[in-house]
Amino acid sequence: MSTLKPISVCVSMLTIAPAALAQAPQFGQPIEPADIAAWDISIAPDGAGLPPGRGTAIEGEAIYAAKCQACHGEKGTNPGVAFAGALVGGMGTLAPDKTPIKTVGSFWPYATTLFDYISRAMPFQESKSLTADELYAVSAYILNLNGIVGSNDVIDAQSLPKVRMPNRDGFIPFPRNPK
């Protein structure tokens, strides 16, 4: 008698399971490459993924004043918002005997990271709202404020990866796939 009960449960499961599977929610669906491309916005240190466009620091100053200055302050040195942080300054503060001030100019290893970050997250209240030309211009302006590029230097997909950041060699490489 006790062995018949488990057998009847198994028979019931076998008869119910196909009906339950037919009514199961259909999670996921094939995604089109164009749909993926809209989300694939990563910019590599070598510039892979940078869009067409261009800008100079002179062009970026007005965009910065309109869209960035309220949080990062005039010239990027005096944040008006506590969590925004300064973008400029801190050169030489990464020494062991100093209090580090991490800014774009003192800390960031690649200029393409600046473009990528602005592209994804800025302006804070309207992230992803800047055009490629505006992104290049604002990046150029911030790099110029840090003394890294000239005010008339054209920043685009070819020149941005070539910008040598002051702290590029300040990091220890971490092997992701040690063998």
Side-chain angles (χ1 to χ4, degrees):
M1 184 81 165
S2 66
T3 57
L4 292 176
K5 190 172 183 179
I7 291 173
S8 68
V9 168
C10 287
V11 170
S12 297
M13 294 290 289
L14 290 173
T15 57
I16 293 172
L21 288 175
Q23 296 175 0
Q26 300 295 313
F27 294 112
Q29 60 185 1
I31 189 165
E32 297 297 323
D35 295 331
I36 294 171
W39 289 92
D40 186 14
I41 60 171
S42 296
I43 308 297
D46 67 359
L50 283 169
R54 58 162 302 283
T56 66
I58 292 173
E59 296 164 341
E61 185 174 8
I63 299 163
Y64 179 89
K67 306 216 176 216
C68 314
Q69 186 171 305
C71 293
H72 295 286
E74 186 177 356
K75 308 288 184 191
T77 58
N78 186 18
V81 175
F83 62 84
L87 302 172
V88 177
M91 301 295 189
T93 64
L94 301 181
D97 59 336
K98 299 191 176 187
T99 301
I101 300 172
K102 296 179 180 178
T103 68
V104 170
S106 71
F107 186 71
W108 293 34
Y110 302 104
T112 53
T113 306
L114 173 64
F115 182 98
D116 188 41
Y117 184 77
I118 296 169
S119 173
R120 291 171 184 272
M122 295 292 130
F124 183 73
Q125 299 296 340
E126 302 174 84
S127 62
K128 298 179 74 175
S129 65
L130 299 177
T131 67
D133 286 344
E134 290 173 324
L135 291 166
Y136 282 114
V138 169
S139 297
Y141 182 67
I142 294 168
L143 293 170
N144 178 261
L145 289 174
N146 280 284
I148 298 169
V149 301
S151 58
N152 286 314
D153 292 350
V154 173
I155 299 298
D156 59 18
Q158 288 71 46
S159 62
L160 187 62
K162 295 176 185 170
V163 171
R164 180 88 183 156
M165 299 298 284
N167 194 36
R168 178 171 288 186
D169 298 326
F171 292 83
I172 298 169
F174 178 77
R176 294 188 186 269
N177 297 313
K179 294 183 181 185

